[in-house]
Amino acid sequence: MIVGSGLQRRPWGLAYALVLQLGVFACIAFVPAMWIIGIIFVMVWGGLLLLRRDVARKMARGELPSQRQ
């Protein structure tokens, strides 16, 4: 997970991290307590992906503070 978070700059970094998340989610079958961790990670990833989409939209429209002149 730590390596996956460090690889987010690469074009395939997001896919790599999501595959790791699926691996953690698959552990639910073996360790029921993983439900809690899995739900937390799903919420964090969902929030990050929504934030990423919002920033990309604002960047495309030129609305980011660093894009204003």
Side-chain angles (χ1 to χ4, degrees):
M1 294 294 179
I2 293 171
V3 172
S5 68
L7 295 174
Q8 292 302 301
R9 291 186 180 185
R10 307 223 192 278
W12 46 268
L14 180 61
Y16 176 76
L18 290 174
V19 167
L20 287 176
Q21 292 299 317
L22 289 174
V24 169
F25 213 64
C27 290
I28 290 172
F30 304 110
V31 182
M34 290 298 286
W35 273 104
I36 296 168
I37 294 173
I39 290 169
I40 291 170
F41 274 109
V42 165
M43 290 181 350
V44 168
W45 272 100
L48 289 173
L49 291 174
L50 288 173
L51 180 65
R52 180 179 184 235
R53 183 183 69 181
D54 184 48
V55 170
R57 285 181 181 171
K58 286 183 179 183
M59 189 183 314
R61 291 187 301 228
E63 296 177 351
L64 292 176
S66 63
Q67 293 175 315
R68 296 180 187 159
Q69 293 183 4

